[in-house]
Amino acid sequence: MRIRRVLASLIAVCGLALAGCSGGTAAQEDPNAAIKVGVTPQPHGEVLEYVKNNLAEEKGVEIELQRFSDYNRPNAAVANGSLDANYYQHKPFLKEYKSEQGGDLHWVGGVHLEPLGIYSSKHGSVKDVPEGASLAIPNDPSNRGRALNLLEEQGLIELKEGAEQEAEVRDIAENPKNLEIRTLKAAQLPRTLGDVQAAVINGNYALKASLDDPLALESTENNPYVNGVVTNSQMQDDPRVDKLVEMLQSQQVKDFIKREYGGKSVIPAS
């Protein structure tokens, strides 16, 4: 009898463990539940808050926002099913994340572009950047490559042939001003402006730091770094995800983005 009781207890414990691993949000289990979406606060949280307050009710979709201050947890949360979708990243970042971390993650649709900009508290134009100046750029591979390409566009460096989206500092072929290129976490870059001659800063962090006068912005033409919505296999064909993307891509949201951000740090995807 004692052995049977022990076995029964073990079976119960195992059952609870398996149940706990199944995860899933209410939206994945109930087609009428709110869809849970992870965002970074600016501009994604602001844009989605506008959608929630102005468009969602008419579309019959309830949206629950969860805000994150980093670039990794929103993907992990979608992959493990604790979020239904996220809205904060571009395709090259998603590709990089999946190659390093894996996970059940699927791109759904693009919403807006946040052009990288060169910012400085010391100089009024790119031409004013002096010999031997220190420049800070993002250290994550996709944005690091973007930053180096922007510096090349502005004539500050020349990259080796074939070094494109994933360029590294060692891929600099010509550095006529002998610039010192420092790589730092993207979120730290606005705080470095007092210590460096210039920094290449992501649009969302420039927005958060109230930086609105870049020396230069990367080109928006054929730019692959459009931010959009990502979901998992369980929600990929859910009509609520389709409606979410439809609302985010609507003309009403494009007008909100233009009005709210002035056409610099955040630009609607075409």
Side-chain angles (χ1 to χ4, degrees), residues 16-226:
L16 287 170
L18 289 171
C21 291
S22 64
T25 68
Q28 293 172 328
E29 298 162 0
D30 178 1
N32 298 312
I35 183 170
K36 195 170 184 179
V37 185
V39 292
T40 48
Q42 287 182 300
H44 310 83
E46 295 169 341
V47 174
L48 196 55
E49 191 74 41
Y50 175 83
V51 168
K52 177 181 178 180
N53 294 336
N54 294 275
L55 302 176
E57 184 176 355
E58 184 181 338
K59 288 289 185 180
V61 180
E62 186 179 348
I63 300 171
E64 182 182 339
L65 279 70
Q66 185 169 336
R67 293 172 174 81
F68 294 83
S69 59
D70 69 275
Y71 283 171
N72 291 315
R73 288 187 299 151
N75 272 340
V78 171
N80 68 31
S82 57
L83 285 178
D84 301 307
N86 64 47
Y87 162 45
Y88 78 103
Q89 65 191 309
H90 47 62
K91 278 185 178 180
F93 181 87
L94 176 63
K95 179 182 177 182
E96 173 197 328
Y97 180 91
K98 290 183 71 173
S99 70
E100 294 180 358
Q101 307 290 336
D104 178 17
L105 298 163
H106 302 275
W107 179 265
V108 186
V111 179
H112 75 262
L113 175 67
E114 297 170 26
L116 280 186
I118 302 175
Y119 294 85
S120 176
S121 62
K122 300 177 175 66
H123 306 292
S125 75
V126 171
K127 293 180 181 179
D128 294 336
V129 175
E131 177 90 14
S134 56
L135 272 63
I137 65 172
N139 66 359
D140 58 289
S142 60
N143 286 312
R144 180 185 62 219
R146 289 176 76 185
L148 290 169
N149 277 277
L150 175 56
L151 295 179
E152 183 177 49
E153 285 175 15
Q154 295 300 312
L156 291 171
I157 62 170
E158 185 176 327
L159 295 170
K160 295 176 183 176
E161 187 175 351
E164 296 176 353
Q165 287 187 10
E166 297 181 1
E168 301 182 35
V169 174
R170 66 186 179 189
D171 293 320
I172 296 174
E174 300 289 339
N175 186 0
K177 288 191 173 184
N178 296 311
L179 302 174
E180 177 193 351
I181 310 293
R182 304 177 187 177
T183 58
L184 299 168
K185 288 184 178 179
Q188 297 176 350
L189 290 168
R191 298 196 296 272
T192 69
L193 288 176
D195 302 320
V196 298
Q197 298 293 314
V200 182
I201 301 175
N202 298 68
N204 60 318
Y205 290 123
L207 185 66
K208 185 177 180 180
S210 299
L211 301 174
D212 56 6
D213 193 19
L215 306 186
L217 287 172
E218 68 179 338
S219 172
T220 59
E221 188 175 349
N222 299 319
N223 193 306
Y225 298 101
V226 170

